[in-house]
């Protein structure tokens, strides 16, 4: 069984089209296969409410994959939900990552994504959050820690 996590973005910096582009770009830079548009839902005016992506490390059937839900309704989300991370900025959930099993593949994707979005934050279900600097330190470590996402980056 894997963990789940979310990517947070400052509300005023949210741009759905750029978010989709950045996901594809980060997956490509991390050498991860990105199957996009697997599921989606449009609202009454024809805009996307969400789009799902499947990211996997090979084309064959494997457990080394995860699903991402990319939301386009960040402007309708409750303000202040993540004030405990940063009181000055209104962070909103823009991507939900479900049930990842490969911490290395996730790290590679998150690192490439955060290089494109330096202010975004990765928050996992253990209630820990990782900034770009946290992820970069883990990614550039000489000895990869396969348990990185199970450890508090502040300790």
């Amino acid at each position: 069984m894997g963990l789940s996590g979310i990517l947070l973005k400052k509300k005023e910096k949210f741009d759905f089209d750029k978010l989709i582009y950045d996901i594809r770009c980060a997956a490509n830079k991390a050498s991860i296969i990105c199957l996009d548009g697997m599921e989606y839902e449009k609202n009454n005016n024809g805009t996307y409410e969400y789009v799902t992506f499947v990211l996997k490390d090979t084309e064959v059937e494997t457990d080394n994959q995860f699903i991402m839900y990319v939301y386009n309704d960040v402007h309708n989300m409750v303000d202040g939900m993540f004030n405990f991370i940063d009181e000055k900025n209104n962070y909103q959930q823009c991507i939900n990552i479900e049930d990842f099993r490969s911490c290395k593949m996730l790290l590679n994707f998150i690192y490439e994504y955060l290089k494109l979005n330096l202010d975004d934050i990765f928050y996992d279900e253990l209630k820990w959050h990782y900034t770009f600097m946290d992820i970069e330190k883990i990614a550039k470590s000489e000895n990869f820690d396969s348990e990185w996402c199970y450890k508090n980056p502040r300790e």
Side-chain angles (χ1 to χ4, degrees), residues 5-127:
I6 57 178
L7 281 161
L8 305 173
K9 181 176 281 303
K10 292 179 183 178
K11 189 173 187 176
E12 70 273 4
K13 289 192 171 189
F14 182 80
D15 178 323
F16 187 68
D17 293 328
K18 181 181 181 318
L19 186 59
I20 299 298
Y21 175 83
D22 289 348
I23 289 167
R24 291 176 181 143
C25 184
N28 184 43
K29 288 183 176 188
S31 299
I32 297 171
I33 296 168
C34 181
L35 306 172
D36 60 310
M38 303 303 288
E39 294 179 25
Y40 59 89
E41 186 169 316
K42 291 187 176 184
N43 58 25
N44 292 339
N45 68 6
T47 59
Y48 287 104
E49 288 190 24
Y50 71 86
V51 176
T52 64
F53 288 80
V54 175
L55 278 70
K56 40 194 305 187
D57 65 354
T58 65
E59 293 186 33
V60 297
E61 198 62 35
T62 178
D63 279 344
N64 287 344
Q65 66 180 29
F66 53 87
I67 298 173
M68 294 190 327
Y69 294 87
V70 183
Y71 300 106
N72 191 23
D73 61 352
V74 71
H75 298 290
N76 295 323
M77 292 183 177
V78 178
D79 289 342
M81 280 186 66
F82 298 98
N83 281 355
F84 61 94
I85 294 174
D86 183 345
E87 290 181 10
K88 294 181 250 173
N89 293 292
N90 186 11
Y91 278 96
Q92 297 291 324
Q93 175 180 347
C94 62
I95 300 173
N96 187 35
I97 300 170
E98 291 291 325
D99 202 26
F100 58 86
R101 290 173 174 82
S102 172
C103 293
K104 179 66 172 168
M105 186 177 75
L106 178 70
L107 176 64
N108 292 343
F109 173 77
I110 296 293
Y111 181 54
E112 293 299 336
Y113 173 85
L114 289 179
K115 285 194 318 191
L116 300 170
N117 299 277
L118 296 173
D119 293 332
D120 288 8
I121 293 172
F122 175 66
Y123 178 78
D124 73 20
E125 71 179 11
L126 296 173
K127 307 219 184 310

